[in-house]
Amino acid sequence: MSTLLFRTLPLAGSLLIGALTVHAQDDDMPPPSGERMKEIKAQKSAYITAQLGLTPEEAQQFWPIYNEMDEKQDALRREMRALHKGAKGDSTLTEAEASQVLDKALQNRQKELDLEKTYAERFKKSIGAVKTLQLKKAERDFNKEVLKRFRDRMDDRKGPG
Protein backbone atom coordinates (compact mmCIF):
# COMPACT_ATOMS: atom_id res chain seq x y z
CA MET A 1 0.00 0.00 0.00
CA SER A 2 2.75 2.47 0.88
CA THR A 3 4.51 1.82 -2.46
CA LEU A 4 1.33 2.62 -4.34
CA LEU A 5 0.88 5.73 -2.25
CA PHE A 6 4.40 7.00 -2.90
CA ARG A 7 4.19 6.21 -6.60
CA THR A 8 1.12 8.42 -6.88
CA LEU A 9 2.34 11.24 -4.64
CA PRO A 10 4.04 13.22 -7.44
CA LEU A 11 0.66 13.67 -9.08
CA ALA A 12 -0.99 14.36 -5.74
CA GLY A 13 1.65 16.91 -4.87
CA SER A 14 1.24 19.00 -7.96
CA LEU A 15 -2.52 18.90 -7.75
CA LEU A 16 -2.86 19.61 -4.05
CA ILE A 17 -0.45 22.50 -4.07
CA GLY A 18 -1.99 23.83 -7.27
CA ALA A 19 -5.36 23.82 -5.60
CA LEU A 20 -4.17 25.36 -2.36
CA THR A 21 -2.11 28.19 -3.79
CA VAL A 22 -3.71 30.90 -5.83
CA HIS A 23 -0.47 31.93 -7.52
CA ALA A 24 0.38 28.44 -8.71
CA GLN A 25 -1.44 29.26 -11.93
CA ASP A 26 1.33 31.76 -12.70
CA ASP A 27 3.56 28.73 -13.33
CA ASP A 28 1.18 27.50 -16.07
CA MET A 29 -0.27 24.85 -13.76
CA PRO A 30 -3.83 24.01 -14.78
CA PRO A 31 -6.38 24.02 -11.98
CA PRO A 32 -7.01 20.48 -10.76
CA SER A 33 -10.17 18.73 -11.82
CA GLY A 34 -12.71 17.49 -9.32
CA GLU A 35 -11.63 13.92 -10.05
CA ARG A 36 -8.00 14.70 -9.30
CA MET A 37 -8.92 16.41 -6.04
CA LYS A 38 -10.92 13.33 -5.05
CA GLU A 39 -7.88 11.19 -5.82
CA ILE A 40 -5.65 13.37 -3.65
CA LYS A 41 -8.12 13.25 -0.78
CA ALA A 42 -8.29 9.47 -1.11
CA GLN A 43 -4.50 9.26 -0.95
CA LYS A 44 -4.46 11.52 2.08
CA SER A 45 -7.12 9.36 3.73
CA ALA A 46 -5.11 6.21 3.07
CA TYR A 47 -1.96 7.85 4.38
CA ILE A 48 -3.60 9.12 7.58
CA THR A 49 -5.40 5.83 8.18
CA ALA A 50 -2.10 3.95 7.88
CA GLN A 51 -0.13 6.41 9.99
CA LEU A 52 -2.68 6.38 12.80
CA GLY A 53 -3.24 2.64 12.56
CA LEU A 54 -6.99 3.15 12.64
CA THR A 55 -9.09 0.06 13.16
CA PRO A 56 -12.12 -0.30 10.87
CA GLU A 57 -14.36 0.78 13.76
CA GLU A 58 -12.20 3.83 14.51
CA ALA A 59 -12.06 4.76 10.84
CA GLN A 60 -15.85 4.53 10.60
CA GLN A 61 -16.18 7.06 13.44
CA PHE A 62 -13.17 9.21 12.52
CA TRP A 63 -13.62 9.94 8.81
CA PRO A 64 -17.05 11.60 8.90
CA ILE A 65 -15.76 13.93 11.64
CA TYR A 66 -12.51 14.62 9.78
CA ASN A 67 -14.29 15.31 6.47
CA GLU A 68 -16.69 17.70 8.19
CA MET A 69 -13.78 19.56 9.77
CA ASP A 70 -11.89 19.62 6.47
CA GLU A 71 -14.83 21.25 4.67
CA LYS A 72 -15.07 23.94 7.34
CA GLN A 73 -11.31 24.55 7.22
CA ASP A 74 -11.46 24.86 3.44
CA ALA A 75 -14.20 27.47 3.75
CA LEU A 76 -12.12 29.47 6.24
CA ARG A 77 -9.06 29.24 3.98
CA ARG A 78 -11.08 30.48 1.00
CA GLU A 79 -12.24 33.44 3.07
CA MET A 80 -8.66 34.22 4.06
CA ARG A 81 -7.39 33.95 0.47
CA ALA A 82 -10.15 36.25 -0.74
CA LEU A 83 -9.33 38.72 2.00
CA HIS A 84 -5.61 38.72 1.19
CA LYS A 85 -6.25 38.79 -2.54
CA GLY A 86 -8.43 41.86 -2.13
CA ALA A 87 -5.78 43.70 -0.12
CA LYS A 88 -2.65 42.29 -1.81
CA GLY A 89 -0.26 45.02 -2.82
CA ASP A 90 -2.99 47.62 -2.70
CA SER A 91 -1.21 50.79 -1.65
CA THR A 92 -4.45 52.74 -2.02
CA LEU A 93 -5.90 51.29 1.18
CA THR A 94 -6.63 53.82 3.84
CA GLU A 95 -5.49 53.23 7.40
CA ALA A 96 -9.07 52.40 8.35
CA GLU A 97 -9.43 49.87 5.49
CA ALA A 98 -6.08 48.26 6.30
CA SER A 99 -7.06 48.06 9.95
CA GLN A 100 -10.34 46.40 8.97
CA VAL A 101 -8.48 43.82 6.85
CA LEU A 102 -6.14 43.07 9.76
CA ASP A 103 -9.07 42.67 12.14
CA LYS A 104 -10.87 40.32 9.75
CA ALA A 105 -7.70 38.25 9.32
CA LEU A 106 -7.35 37.88 13.09
CA GLN A 107 -11.02 36.96 13.41
CA ASN A 108 -10.51 34.31 10.75
CA ARG A 109 -7.50 32.88 12.57
CA GLN A 110 -9.53 32.78 15.79
CA LYS A 111 -12.27 30.87 13.96
CA GLU A 112 -9.64 28.39 12.78
CA LEU A 113 -8.38 27.91 16.33
CA ASP A 114 -11.91 27.51 17.68
CA LEU A 115 -12.61 24.94 14.97
CA GLU A 116 -9.42 23.05 15.83
CA LYS A 117 -10.38 22.99 19.53
CA THR A 118 -13.87 21.73 18.79
CA TYR A 119 -12.69 18.95 16.52
CA ALA A 120 -9.78 17.96 18.78
CA GLU A 121 -12.36 17.14 21.43
CA ARG A 122 -14.44 15.14 18.97
CA PHE A 123 -11.36 13.27 17.74
CA LYS A 124 -10.31 12.44 21.31
CA LYS A 125 -13.72 10.88 21.88
CA SER A 126 -13.61 8.83 18.68
CA ILE A 127 -9.94 7.77 18.42
CA GLY A 128 -8.32 8.86 21.69
CA ALA A 129 -5.84 11.59 22.59
CA VAL A 130 -2.72 9.75 21.38
CA LYS A 131 -4.06 9.22 17.87
CA THR A 132 -5.40 12.78 17.84
CA LEU A 133 -1.84 14.02 18.42
CA GLN A 134 -0.55 11.63 15.77
CA LEU A 135 -3.10 13.07 13.35
CA LYS A 136 -1.41 16.48 13.32
CA LYS A 137 1.96 14.86 12.61
CA ALA A 138 0.50 12.68 9.86
CA GLU A 139 -1.10 15.73 8.20
CA ARG A 140 2.18 17.67 8.39
CA ASP A 141 4.17 14.73 7.03
CA PHE A 142 1.73 14.20 4.15
CA ASN A 143 1.80 17.90 3.27
CA LYS A 144 5.62 18.00 3.42
CA GLU A 145 5.85 15.02 1.10
CA VAL A 146 3.33 16.53 -1.30
CA LEU A 147 5.19 19.84 -1.31
CA LYS A 148 8.51 18.08 -1.92
CA ARG A 149 7.04 16.15 -4.85
CA PHE A 150 5.50 19.34 -6.22
CA ARG A 151 8.82 21.19 -6.04
CA ASP A 152 10.60 18.27 -7.70
CA ARG A 153 8.03 18.24 -10.46
CA MET A 154 8.29 21.99 -10.97
CA ASP A 155 12.08 21.73 -11.11
CA ASP A 156 11.75 19.00 -13.74
CA ARG A 157 9.43 21.21 -15.80
CA LYS A 158 11.86 24.13 -15.69
CA GLY A 159 14.68 21.93 -16.89
CA PRO A 160 18.40 22.45 -16.32
CA GLY A 161 19.62 25.91 -15.66
Side-chain angles (χ1 to χ4, degrees):
M1 170 131 140
S2 64
T3 15
L4 174 64
L5 178 64
F6 285 105
R7 272 191 266 148
T8 56
L9 273 177
L11 173 65
S14 63
L15 297 174
L16 182 61
I17 299 303
L20 296 178
T21 57
V22 174
H23 64 277
Q25 292 177 1
D26 295 339
D27 294 325
D28 296 325
M29 289 294 296
S33 69
E35 278 302 309
R36 287 182 175 175
M37 286 306 296
K38 286 180 186 177
E39 183 180 330
I40 293 166
K41 286 188 182 259
Q43 291 169 355
K44 184 177 182 180
S45 296
Y47 183 84
I48 289 173
T49 299
Q51 292 299 307
L52 299 184
L54 295 178
T55 66
E57 296 79 21
E58 287 173 328
Q60 191 174 11
Q61 289 183 337
F62 171 79
W63 284 109
I65 298 169
Y66 185 88
N67 292 334
E68 181 182 307
M69 178 193 71
D70 194 47
E71 287 176 23
K72 290 179 180 181
Q73 284 177 328
D74 283 347
L76 288 172
R77 287 185 197 116
R78 281 191 301 274
E79 284 178 32
M80 188 62 94
R81 279 194 302 271
L83 182 65
H84 284 289
K85 188 176 181 180
K88 187 177 180 182
D90 193 350
S91 59
T92 61
L93 286 177
T94 66
E95 281 295 312
E97 291 168 335
S99 180
Q100 187 176 28
V101 168
L102 289 170
D103 290 344
K104 285 181 181 178
L106 288 172
Q107 289 170 1
N108 187 284
R109 287 177 52 200
Q110 184 62 53
K111 287 179 189 176
E112 287 176 337
L113 181 60
D114 293 343
L115 187 68
E116 190 174 333
K117 285 180 181 178
T118 298
Y119 282 90
E121 286 303 315
R122 291 181 67 188
F123 290 140
K124 285 193 301 188
K125 289 177 184 172
S126 69
I127 60 172
V130 171
K131 288 184 180 181
T132 299
L133 277 178
Q134 292 171 341
L135 170 63
K136 287 297 171 193
K137 182 181 182 330
E139 287 177 317
R140 278 192 311 272
D141 291 349
F142 181 82
N143 290 338
K144 281 181 191 177
E145 184 62 29
V146 168
L147 184 57
K148 179 187 179 302
R149 302 290 178 150
F150 174 74
R151 285 182 182 149
D152 291 348
R153 184 164 184 229
M154 290 306 293
D155 288 346
D156 290 345
R157 290 183 85 184
K158 290 178 184 175

